[in-house]
Amino acid sequence: MNYREKGNKAFFNGEFETARQEYTKGIEVVPEDPRLWSNRAQTFIKLGYPELAIADAINALSLIEPKIISGKYDDSDLVLLCKSGWRKAEALAKSDEYRLAARELEKLSRIVNRRPVAGVDWNAWERDRDRYSKKHCQDMMLLKSVGTDRYMVIEQIGKICKFPSRESYPWDIRSQERCTLENLASVQKLLGKISRNSIKVSLVSFPDASQEHEFGIVATKDIKKGTILLDEKPFISVHAPGQQQCDFCNKPISSKKFSCPKSNCSEIFCNRDCFDKAWEFYHRAICGKNLDSLYEIVNKDSKFSGSSLLFVLKIFAIAKQRDICPLDIEEIKHLFPFQHSTAWFQHGPIAISFYFELMKLLEIPIFDSRYEPWIYLTIYRKTKPNCNLLDPMTGPGQLYPIISLFNHHCDPNACLSEEVSRFSFGTILSVQVAAIRNIKKGDQIFNNYKIGNDLSVSSVVGNTKPTRQLLETTYGKKRLILKLEILQRQPILLPTTQLHLQRLRQHQLQIPEETRTNNSLTLKNS
């Protein structure tokens, strides 16, 4: 019995995780078999990971569509095309992408020209298409009715979005082993390089947290107000496409610049030193590659996520040069991935499109298990809430892996120092963290995300409610104090991006599950 047959048997027995494992093994052996991709897509739908099902369905369709278009196909190919397309549409609908789901069904109808296909009821598919289109229009009208206020938009998205918040995928062994003494020593080694021996990384705990322990920064001795605790340079810097900035350090470049010596590479640097560092770090993997397709996706993202994708580009390039899985990059593997449901609503399909273009650019086979879609999305969810984007659409951005370890408090005892190295356009070349009051030995050191790590959040001013909503949307709900009188006199404790409890679903619209009585293709794997 081969892997596909073992996967089918497990699927029919309701053992979906086992089926996922078997299909994955089969893909590593026979990646050109579209049945494996299509079946795993259906398995991901059953497991509740529609975002991964979308990627697998795309791979299945990319393998089968050329045969259909060329006319060199048989009935089994036509059935598989419809299965894969239906599964993609279903996954898109379960990801709140109703417009794209409707388009997928319309595309299938055109390709197949409504010819008879076993298990397909075209009239029922058209009704599904119309229902998806109607739901999309309703959602868009609801969002337009609230204007451009970011808090109100987030609140309304929370009401219409049924895509679940994400922490780690259950099969992510690295995440399960993240808060170990071995990893603690590794992170402490990174901290020791940039701190002044007055702080250390420790395992801390918070009431009602989803995990027993998490990383935090603790004072190793009494610290006086004004003491500089650490000075960190960014691990990665990115800038929007087309800007005249050094690709390594983000320093704006005037007439004097250092271009990559490779004649077919258009990247520029402020000097030879930055080029040499970039070359050893990530640049070899992307040197001379045409990044236009990636930049086109970034520029299309009008919902403030485009520049975040460029962090993933460089992280994948680093992994490619080191010949490792991106999750094994020492400098960032301690970061916790967080994906709020509203964030997926804002950028999901764009992130998936970016993934496929990124894999082509770096010449990574789609069956390389070190770079699977779930790994890509995990890296994206590690970087997005931990990076600084002064202007999410056009400004430069940096990723500070150690500063990201500081947990949040609305009445912090430390903050980002004003003594930072700045150039024009708001470029930050290093950031210091300083004590803003006396801190006792053993106390945990807190930052304030509203005025610190995420400068896009600090751009929103107003009362406590929208500020808190934005913090929870970006970093996840860690602890909720329900009593108003407590909320008014005590700070909200939101320990960093690493902890996450289920987001409140109060007043959320109830979206009925679609019934699939008309089509056996959604259940049966081939």
Side-chain angles (χ1 to χ4, degrees):
M1 184 181 294
N2 60 32
Y3 290 123
R4 180 172 60 83
E5 292 170 343
K6 290 179 181 179
N8 290 348
K9 181 179 179 181
F11 184 91
F12 294 140
N13 291 333
E15 301 168 357
F16 301 124
E17 173 54 23
T18 300
R20 181 196 69 82
Q21 296 174 19
E22 296 297 333
Y23 292 141
T24 300
K25 293 175 184 176
I27 286 171
E28 293 177 0
V29 177
V30 195
E32 66 275 8
D33 186 350
R35 295 172 296 179
L36 288 164
W37 294 102
S38 184
N39 290 358
R40 195 174 71 167
Q42 180 66 6
T43 304
F44 276 133
I45 291 174
K46 289 295 185 180
L47 286 169
Y49 304 107
E51 71 278 19
L52 303 181
I54 294 170
D56 276 8
I58 290 174
N59 280 327
L61 289 168
S62 69
L63 292 168
I64 195 66
E65 279 182 353
K67 296 179 67 176
I68 303 298
I69 295 174
S70 68
K72 299 177 181 179
Y73 64 91
D74 54 30
D75 289 344
S76 63
D77 293 326
L78 204 58
V79 170
L80 184 58
L81 174 78
C82 291
K83 280 185 179 182
S84 303
W86 173 267
R87 289 164 178 173
K88 181 182 176 183
E90 186 176 18
L92 285 166
K94 288 183 177 297
S95 301
D96 302 298
E97 295 297 334
Y98 294 100
R99 177 178 61 90
L100 297 180
R103 284 185 178 181
E104 188 62 33
L105 292 181
E106 180 64 29
K107 178 183 176 183
L108 273 177
S109 179
R110 290 198 309 270
I111 292 177
V112 183
N113 198 25
R114 289 180 60 89
R115 72 192 74 176
V117 178
V120 176
D121 182 342
W122 290 109
N123 292 327
W125 282 29
E126 286 184 354
R127 289 193 295 271
D128 286 335
R129 179 200 63 193
D130 294 342
R131 186 174 71 254
Y132 293 154
S133 296
K134 181 179 179 181
K135 183 64 174 66
H136 170 71
C137 292
Q138 291 173 341
D139 289 348
M140 293 303 101
M141 289 178 63
L142 182 60
L143 291 179
K144 286 181 179 179
S145 67
V146 301
T148 58
D149 181 87
R150 186 181 176 191
Y151 163 64
M152 293 300 296
V153 170
I154 288 174
E155 186 176 53
Q156 290 302 321
I157 289 177
K159 291 180 179 180
I160 66 178
C161 184
K162 65 177 179 178
F163 185 83
S165 296
R166 287 273 183 259
E167 289 188 356
S168 301
Y169 292 104
W171 54 80
D172 184 0
I173 303 301
R174 296 173 182 83
S175 180
Q176 298 171 14
E177 298 174 347
R178 191 172 56 87
C179 289
T180 61
L181 293 178
E182 181 181 358
N183 285 342
L184 181 67
S186 176
V187 179
Q188 179 59 44
K189 184 177 179 180
L190 295 174
L191 173 64
K193 295 178 180 179
I194 60 173
S195 68
R196 304 188 178 182
N197 299 320
S198 59
I199 57 176
K200 68 175 182 178
V201 181
S202 182
L203 294 178
V204 298
S205 60
F206 296 92
D208 303 324
S210 58
Q211 299 190 32
E212 183 178 0
H213 293 101
E214 270 298 343
F215 291 124
I217 304 294
V218 175
T220 59
K221 60 183 180 181
D222 290 344
I223 299 173
K224 293 183 178 180
K225 178 181 177 180
T227 301
I228 302 298
L229 305 177
L230 62 81
D231 189 338
E232 183 176 14
K233 293 182 178 179
F235 173 63
I236 297 174
S237 296
V238 301
H239 58 85
Q243 291 186 331
Q244 292 291 304
Q245 292 179 245
C246 176
D247 191 62
F248 180 76
C249 73
N250 260 357
K251 182 179 178 180
I253 297 175
S254 58
S255 57
K256 295 182 179 181
K257 63 183 179 181
F258 182 88
S259 300
C260 177
K262 302 292 183 179
S263 60
N264 61 339
C265 184
S266 60
E267 297 299 329
I268 57 176
F269 303 85
C270 55
N271 52 49
R272 179 77 196 206
D273 183 57
C274 274
F275 167 76
D276 289 341
K277 291 177 180 178
W279 182 259
E280 293 301 319
F281 198 28
Y282 64 85
H283 186 66
R284 284 202 310 272
I286 59 177
C287 183
K289 301 292 179 65
N290 187 347
L291 303 179
D292 289 347
S293 59
L294 294 179
Y295 289 158
E296 183 179 352
I297 294 172
V298 169
N299 288 329
K300 279 183 178 179
D301 188 356
S302 59
K303 296 175 181 175
F304 307 107
S305 297
S307 295
S308 298
L309 294 168
L310 297 177
F311 286 102
V312 186
L313 164 63
K314 287 193 173 179
I315 288 174
F316 265 55
I318 292 168
K320 180 74 183 296
Q321 285 198 191
R322 297 182 182 180
D323 195 26
I324 59 175
C325 172
L327 295 177
D328 290 329
I329 294 176
E330 188 72 22
E331 295 91 337
I332 63 169
K333 66 181 184 180
H334 62 273
L335 298 178
F336 188 83
F338 173 69
Q339 179 67 72
H340 198 276
S341 56
T342 59
W344 173 265
F345 186 93
Q346 291 176 306
H347 64 72
I350 289 178
I352 295 294
S353 298
F354 194 88
Y355 168 74
F356 284 104
E357 291 298 325
L358 176 62
M359 295 288 281
K360 290 179 186 177
L361 180 96
L362 296 178
E363 299 176 351
I364 301 174
I366 59 175
F367 55 86
D368 190 331
S369 61
R370 296 177 301 174
Y371 300 88
E372 282 195 81
W374 73 265
I375 292 175
Y376 161 80
L377 290 174
T378 298
I379 290 295
Y380 183 65
R381 294 186 288 109
K382 278 176 175 280
T383 57
K384 184 171 174 60
N386 288 296
C387 65
N388 295 341
L389 288 171
L390 298 182
D391 181 337
M393 280 299 292
T394 61
Q398 296 85 22
L399 176 64
Y400 297 90
I402 299 302
I403 288 178
S404 296
L405 287 173
F406 285 92
N407 292 316
H408 172 92
H409 205 293
C410 290
D411 184 22
N413 52 15
C415 72
L416 302 189
S417 171
E418 295 180 355
E419 297 178 9
V420 295
S421 300
R422 290 181 180 269
F423 288 82
S424 58
F425 305 109
T427 301
I428 302 176
L429 300 185
S430 68
V431 170
Q432 297 174 341
V433 177
I436 57 176
R437 60 171 176 260
N438 294 336
I439 302 173
K440 294 182 179 180
K441 179 180 178 179
D443 285 353
Q444 185 175 176
I445 300 173
F446 293 99
N447 194 1
N448 187 306
Y449 293 171
K450 185 172 74 68
I451 59 175
N453 291 33
D454 190 345
L455 300 181
S456 64
V457 172
S458 68
S459 65
V460 181
V461 295
N463 58 43
T464 303
K465 184 178 179 182
T467 299
R468 182 183 182 199
Q469 175 78 7
L470 289 168
L471 286 169
E472 291 171 352
T473 301
T474 305
Y475 302 107
K477 185 181 297 295
K478 286 83 180 184
R479 181 183 180 189
L480 179 64
I481 302 175
L482 294 176
K483 293 183 179 180
L484 182 60
E485 61 272 16
I486 295 179
L487 180 61
Q488 290 174 337
R489 70 173 183 263
Q490 290 187 3
I492 304 169
L493 196 60
L494 285 164
T496 198
T497 61
Q498 302 152 338
L499 300 179
H500 168 244
L501 291 179
Q502 183 69 26
R503 183 172 62 93
L504 285 183
R505 311 288 282 186
Q506 293 176 345
H507 309 301
Q508 181 169 349
L509 296 181
Q510 297 298 315
I511 304 174
E513 287 291 325
E514 295 85 1
T515 58
R516 303 293 188 231
T517 58
N518 60 292
N519 197 323
S520 62
L521 295 183
T522 60
L523 299 176
K524 186 178 180 181
N525 283 349
S526 56

